[in-house]
Amino acid sequence: MQSTTGNPIYALQDVPGKGKGLVAIENISKGTRILSEEPIITVPRNEPVSERLRTSICQQVDALSEHQRRAFLSMHNIHPYGNAAEQYLGIIRTNSLPAETDGDKWSIFLEACRINHAYDNNAQKNWNENIKRHTVHALRDIHEGEEITIYYLGVDKNREARQEDLQAKFGFTCWCRLCSLPPEQSRESDRRLEEIYRLDILIGQGGVDGILSSPLRILRYVDQQVRLYNEQRPGHLGLPRAFLDAAQIAIANGDLARGHTFAERAASAWRTALGGDSPEVIEPATLARDPSKHKLYGISNPRGLEPSDFEDWLWKRVKPKHPRQQVDLRDRATFPGFIDLPDENDVDPDFYESSLVTYRQGRCWCFLGEIVDFVTLHHLEIEIKDVDGGKIPLHFYTDGRGSELTPTQVQRGYTVAIFYAKRHVFKFGEPGIRHEDPRMIKIFPLSLHKLLALNDQVQQFSTELDGIRMCHGCGKKAASLQRCSKCSSFWYCDRACQVAGWNEKGHKADCKLLKDPNLRGLFVLKWDEFDNYI
């Protein structure tokens, strides 16, 4: 983390068309604290202009150092003035930022107030009540020479309303990428915002009764919001709020594992935007550590929602199996090797079915391969090893040419899962897989050998036959075993067997992997009942 008290990673520079602004003087990684600053002038937000207010402002300006005073007076002022007090007040009205969580006080910060606005902002401003400072964090990687921007308005509005507010409050028009979209794309952006607002109402209107009586319906509303937020702009602060909603719904219905997952996602997103010491991070982080402490835990159903229902929501339109019928990743029909994949130029009856005079996809399949090597030239190229040990080139022809994946995801020894993979003959080089849809790939942080070994464990200890299960700790078969509360996959006689499974039989590592809903989805999806595209 960098801040104004250490070695600055930005500089105040002229920005074409904007006057002064903060510009990165080195690459800034996503989540970095760009600055942390105390206010130099603070005023009540809604206090009417009075002699008392003018006097207070003048006294605070008089108390500034010469450097602070010059910097304050150089700030932009869109309000006319006839004396010093009116000038000071105009500068404050034009530039102030919140200095309390509830927004009752507004303050001048010498550097944070210099950051210009953009609707596609790359940084997030926030008053941190814990440290009594205004912070700014990078919402994404910011490159050297790039201007640092924040969003001035409190809530998302359509383009016309945003521009009206900016003109009225700050005297300028925003020409950022999102505000300069062609008319049709701008209307689509506005429609997304309207739909997000509508979903907010639907999620909240039923209160606790709503999430208890129709949890899956409310979860689907949350899922739609997450999709819309991601389409609107990266790092949207609506995402952690949506994840927290999902966590509370899961917990209220007794599902601690998913409550933990959603709460952790909320905490992670807020941690990126606001910093780990922000009060907003504390609630979801605490919830993630122990979801059972939430006041709503289990008030609907102590057994929780059926895992299949949640997996159906998480994985969209693919119907999962009942959790007692675990999918075998060694099934070559569903998880074919490269040689068994359909050719992209042929209609293989094993994968497609006839519909009158046309053919359409008739079932699900997933290709698994371990990353052996990778390189990025004009696009990402990965060499993968399949279940037969053959090495296959995987070329990314997505819009981002593979940049959709982070460097931490693309690692040697990790396993790639590609839905509906097909064999492709490249003009130059060996046959391989041409990957075009970033939604159709998952990467898991374990080797293919380890994944298949985990699969064997799941087949033995996570399967139920006629109500009988097997204890992972001692191997005893019984109907009254208890399920691991963290991954909801393995069964145990009691705490002693769970400790044995955790420490002696490797469940400590396996449990962490199985808590990933995407990895669990490989085992619980009903792959043999195709219900449209994933």
Side-chain angles (χ1 to χ4, degrees), residues 219 243-244 246-247 250 258-267 310 313-314:
L219 276 174
F243 288 139
L244 189 56
R258 287 167 183 81
H260 162 82
T261 298
F262 290 128
E264 184 56 45
R265 289 182 185 180
F310 269 93
W313 172 65
L314 289 169

Side-chain angles (χ1 to χ4, degrees), residues 212 248-256 291-292 294-304:
L212 297 180
Q248 292 171 338
I249 295 167
I251 293 167
N253 287 278
D255 197 302
L256 296 182
S292 68
H294 195 281
K295 62 183 179 180
L296 296 180
Y297 169 54
I299 65 174
S300 172
N301 178 6
R303 294 185 299 106

Side-chain angles (χ1 to χ4, degrees), residues 300-332:
S300 172
N301 178 6
R303 294 185 299 106
L305 290 174
E306 286 296 318
S308 59
D309 292 335
F310 269 93
E311 301 298 348
D312 186 42
W313 172 65
L314 289 169
W315 285 74
K316 309 297 189 300
R317 291 179 292 276
V318 176
K319 294 180 179 178
K321 288 186 175 182
H322 191 281
R324 290 174 289 187
Q325 301 173 332
Q326 302 293 348
V327 174
D328 189 351
L329 303 190
R330 296 187 186 274
D331 177 9
R332 293 295 291 267

Side-chain angles (χ1 to χ4, degrees), residues 18-35:
K18 294 184 178 181
K20 297 288 187 180
L22 296 193
V23 176
I25 57 176
E26 61 182 65
N27 291 334
I28 302 175
S29 301
K30 176 181 176 180
T32 297
R33 176 165 290 177
I34 297 172
L35 60 81

Side-chain angles (χ1 to χ4, degrees), residues 83-192:
N83 54 51
E86 291 177 352
Q87 179 187 13
Y88 303 158
L89 184 58
I91 293 174
I92 293 170
R93 284 178 169 177
T94 305
N95 298 277
S96 61
L97 293 169
E100 280 190 355
T101 303
D102 57 12
D104 284 344
K105 292 183 180 179
W106 289 77
S107 295
I108 291 295
F109 303 86
L110 287 184
E111 301 195 20
C113 290
R114 291 289 196 176
I115 303 177
N116 288 317
H117 162 92
Y119 182 52
D120 61 347
N121 52 304
N122 55 27
Q124 177 62 42
K125 62 180 175 63
N126 180 60
W127 172 256
N128 188 321
E129 187 64 27
N130 281 345
I131 61 175
K132 304 296 182 184
R133 284 173 169 263
H134 195 88
T135 63
V136 175
H137 290 80
L139 291 176
R140 59 170 174 77
D141 292 346
I142 302 174
H143 301 295
E144 180 181 351
E146 184 179 354
E147 184 188 9
I148 299 166
T149 56
I150 58 177
Y151 183 55
Y152 281 7
L153 305 177
V155 296
D156 268 2
K157 299 182 178 181
N158 62 44
R159 183 182 181 279
E160 183 179 355
R162 291 197 306 268
Q163 300 294 11
E164 288 177 356
D165 276 3
L166 290 172
Q167 276 293 341
K169 296 177 180 178
F170 307 104
F172 69 87
T173 298
C174 180
W175 296 106
C176 74
R177 179 183 60 84
L178 288 178
C179 289
S180 304
L181 291 172
E184 179 54 39
Q185 293 182 35
S186 183
R187 286 192 291 270
E188 180 61 29
S189 173
D190 290 345
R191 283 193 290 268
R192 281 196 295 268

Side-chain angles (χ1 to χ4, degrees), residues 224-267:
Q224 292 175 51
Q225 274 199 327
V226 169
R227 176 178 56 79
L228 291 168
Y229 280 131
N230 281 322
E231 290 176 1
Q232 190 66 7
R233 54 192 170 108
H236 199 295
L237 279 193
L239 284 169
R241 288 193 292 270
F243 288 139
L244 189 56
D245 284 341
Q248 292 171 338
I249 295 167
I251 293 167
N253 287 278
D255 197 302
L256 296 182
R258 287 167 183 81
H260 162 82
T261 298
F262 290 128
E264 184 56 45
R265 289 182 185 180

